[in-house]
Amino acid sequence: MAKIIRSQRANTSSVRSAPKKKPAKAARLLPKRGAKKAAKKAAKRTVKPKPWTSEEVYEAFDRFRKANPEPKGELEHLNPYTLLVAVVLSAQATDAGVNKATRALFAVADTPEKMLELGEDRVRDYIKTIGLYRNKAKNVIALSQKLIAEFGGEVPRTRAEIESLPGAGRKTANVVLNMAFGEHTMAVDTHVFRVGNRTGLAPGKTPLEVELGLEKVIPTEFMLHAHHWLILHGRYTCLARGPRCEVCLINDLCRWPEKTV
């Protein structure tokens, strides 16, 4: 019996100490290969592109000007007030969607006084196809009231005053100042933010950083139309998904490491 017990213990010990099988060679290599690819991608992201020279910036905007000498914003409006309302309504919405709603609205209410007469409920009915329309209707009425009470029914001509209006932020102020009053402002929406970062023209972590970066590098002679050129470029060429590098006017200047040409 003692011999049998010792034999069983020996067998158990041999099972416990049996070496683990090594994974197949190909399987062992997979994590390493994946890690190398991830490291390469990370390196591409962390390497800062070479800043544009002033000559390159001039060349880029000169090409934009030659291709489209008088770019226009795509939001339809009748006057500075309707432009202000349209920009407020365009937050998280497309210009085409806003235009579809405001054509009928502006036909009956193209001044703050007429908008107040229309009332919030009816404004809401006109713009109900636009995202966040309930809150936007409140803002349109509130900003109309403030324009009448504090600015004589006119759209103010300073950034701070426009930003004080309900529903209006820095981008709204920049668009209105540029399009209504010819100021050299840079409105940074998602398209301009993407183009500024992707091309390396004015990289920044926030819209304000990109705005200030663009204002710093773009020559004065291009500033009146610069934000329109960049918006249109981002909307129709430098797309968020599937950018059309093959038809890009500035693909030879662009610093994006993943461009397709």
Side-chain angles (χ1 to χ4, degrees), residues 39-228:
K40 285 182 179 179
K41 286 184 178 180
K44 279 186 177 180
R45 289 194 296 267
T46 55
V47 173
K48 290 184 178 181
K50 182 181 177 182
W52 289 48
T53 65
S54 57
E55 292 78 15
E56 288 174 325
V57 176
Y58 190 96
E59 175 64 22
F61 283 91
D62 190 47
R63 293 179 193 179
F64 286 140
R65 179 169 60 184
K66 288 175 179 175
N68 187 4
E70 295 290 333
K72 302 295 182 184
E74 296 186 337
L75 281 175
E76 297 174 6
H77 59 282
L78 306 173
N79 52 42
Y81 170 71
T82 54
L83 173 62
L84 170 64
V85 172
V87 179
V88 168
L89 295 178
S90 70
Q92 300 182 49
T94 64
D95 288 359
V98 172
N99 291 338
K100 186 176 180 180
T102 57
R103 286 177 194 134
L105 174 63
F106 293 159
V108 297
D110 59 353
T111 67
E113 293 81 6
K114 292 179 182 178
M115 197 68 75
L116 288 183
E117 187 178 340
L118 196 61
E120 184 180 325
D121 290 344
R122 291 186 65 192
V123 170
R124 189 167 59 237
D125 289 339
Y126 276 102
I127 67 171
K128 62 185 178 183
T129 56
I130 302 174
L132 307 175
Y133 71 95
R134 294 180 186 277
N135 191 53
K136 289 178 180 180
K138 290 181 181 179
N139 284 335
V140 168
I141 293 299
L143 72 82
S144 298
Q145 290 172 331
K146 187 164 184 174
L147 287 175
I148 294 170
E150 299 183 20
F151 301 106
E154 300 293 327
V155 176
R157 300 190 60 158
T158 70
R159 181 184 284 115
E161 289 173 326
I162 295 174
E163 286 187 46
S164 74
L165 300 171
R170 188 179 181 91
K171 189 194 81 171
T172 299
N174 283 338
V175 172
V176 173
L177 290 172
N178 179 267
M179 293 181 64
F181 305 124
E183 299 286 342
H184 287 189
T185 54
M186 175 58 61
V188 177
D189 66 353
T190 55
H191 300 298
V192 177
F193 186 78
R194 179 172 64 256
V195 172
N197 276 287
R198 181 182 278 170
T199 63
L201 184 61
K205 295 181 180 179
T206 66
L208 181 58
E209 285 184 19
V210 173
E211 176 188 333
L212 298 178
L214 289 170
E215 288 181 345
K216 184 177 179 180
V217 301
I218 298 173
T220 302
E221 68 180 276
F222 298 114
M223 276 301 297
L224 179 62
H225 298 310
H227 100 268
H228 282 128

Side-chain angles (χ1 to χ4, degrees), residues 1-14:
M1 179 65 71
K3 288 182 178 180
I4 293 173
I5 292 173
R6 284 198 297 271
S7 176
Q8 287 176 342
R9 287 177 177 172
N11 289 339
T12 302
S13 176
S14 64

